Amino acid sequence: DGGITQSPKYLFRKEGQNVTLSCEQNLNHDAMYWYRQDPGQGLRLIYYSQIVNDFQKGDIAEGYSVSREKKESFPLTVTSAQKNPTAFYLCASSIHSGGPWGNEQFFGPGTRLTVL
Amino acid sequence: GENVEQHPSTLSVQEGDSAVIKCTYSDSASNYFPWYKQELGKRPQLIIDIRSNVGEKKDQRIAVTLNKTAKHFSLHITETQPEDSAVYFCAASIGQAGTALIFGKGTTLSVSS
């Protein structure tokens, strides 16, 4: 299960506070992703990054922000603008061959965020 | 926006039976279709994937079929076992760049012995 890690496993925050979730990978993958998982909703894409210093919004980017200053790291900040931030957050990474085909995404263990 | 529909949402089978989960996608540029298995409290893990240049792929008891014309793909599990019980997600790549995925809402498979 090594290669992509997320910390912490559980996170509790008060309403109105910003919080940053960590995601690190040592797989030398170019692309990294953040998903939110809610019961019965599957995995919804928040942000993704194909190369350092570049990232794109997914379907539910509002209230979230990311940075990609290093290839190994893709932290996600949940801001106070996110209306319902309590959820399970999954980070993933994949190679980016530059060709037309998608590639397997490897997931981290997830962070469960609870906003009180 | 682009969408992936997955059916059924729950599926209960007896051990040894086959299970079929179906997905449809909307983005005609999608060319990569993975299936992930997520056990309770664990991260999703890839079980099989298919690219749009093939129509079928098998790996032991698991197979995936793809119909590009109908924008439809399916997961087939034969000789199901209790350890197959989990949530299964289908996904489709987004656009021609192909790296990002859009996921279905998942199917909870229960295999009873």
Side-chain angles (χ1 to χ4, degrees), chain A residues 1-2 4 9 31 33 35 37 40-45 48 50 59 88 90 94-96 99-110, chain B residues 1-2 29 31-32 34 36 38 41-46 49 51-53 87 89 93-106:
Chain A
D1 284 346
I4 181 165
K9 187 173 182 179
Y33 315 83
Y35 294 93
Q37 187 172 27
Q41 293 296 314
L43 283 71
R44 292 184 290 170
L45 183 64
Y48 66 102
Q50 296 177 331
D59 290 333
F88 187 55
L90 285 161
S94 71
I95 63 172
H96 178 39
W101 303 108
N103 295 286
E104 177 182 1
Q105 292 186 13
F106 294 82
F107 285 85
Chain B
E2 305 304 340
N31 62 15
Y32 175 67
Y36 284 84
Q38 186 177 29
K42 296 191 175 180
R43 70 188 82 187
Q45 293 198 307
L46 182 77
D49 56 10
R51 291 178 171 176
S52 59
N53 59 348
V87 180
F89 295 99
S93 60
I94 300 172
Q96 294 185 347
T99 58
L101 298 173
I102 183 166
F103 282 79
K105 293 186 176 182

Side-chain angles (χ1 to χ4, degrees), chain B residues 14-94:
Chain B
Q14 292 286 322
E15 182 177 2
D17 288 348
S18 294
V20 180
I21 302 171
K22 299 181 178 181
C23 290
T24 58
Y25 61 98
S26 61
D27 186 356
S28 57
S30 296
N31 62 15
Y32 175 67
F33 307 92
W35 286 87
Y36 284 84
K37 176 183 179 182
Q38 186 177 29
E39 297 176 354
L40 191 62
K42 296 191 175 180
R43 70 188 82 187
Q45 293 198 307
L46 182 77
I47 55 171
I48 196 167
D49 56 10
I50 191 168
R51 291 178 171 176
S52 59
N53 59 348
V54 299
E56 184 175 1
K57 184 176 179 181
K58 287 184 178 180
D59 184 3
Q60 300 183 343
R61 296 185 298 108
I62 294 173
V64 57
T65 58
L66 172 66
N67 182 330
K68 285 191 297 182
T69 303
K71 296 183 185 173
H72 172 270
F73 59 113
S74 299
L75 177 71
H76 304 255
I77 306 174
T78 59
E79 301 173 18
T80 54
Q81 302 166 2
E83 50 265 38
D84 294 329
S85 296
V87 180
Y88 292 81
F89 295 99
C90 64
S93 60
I94 300 172

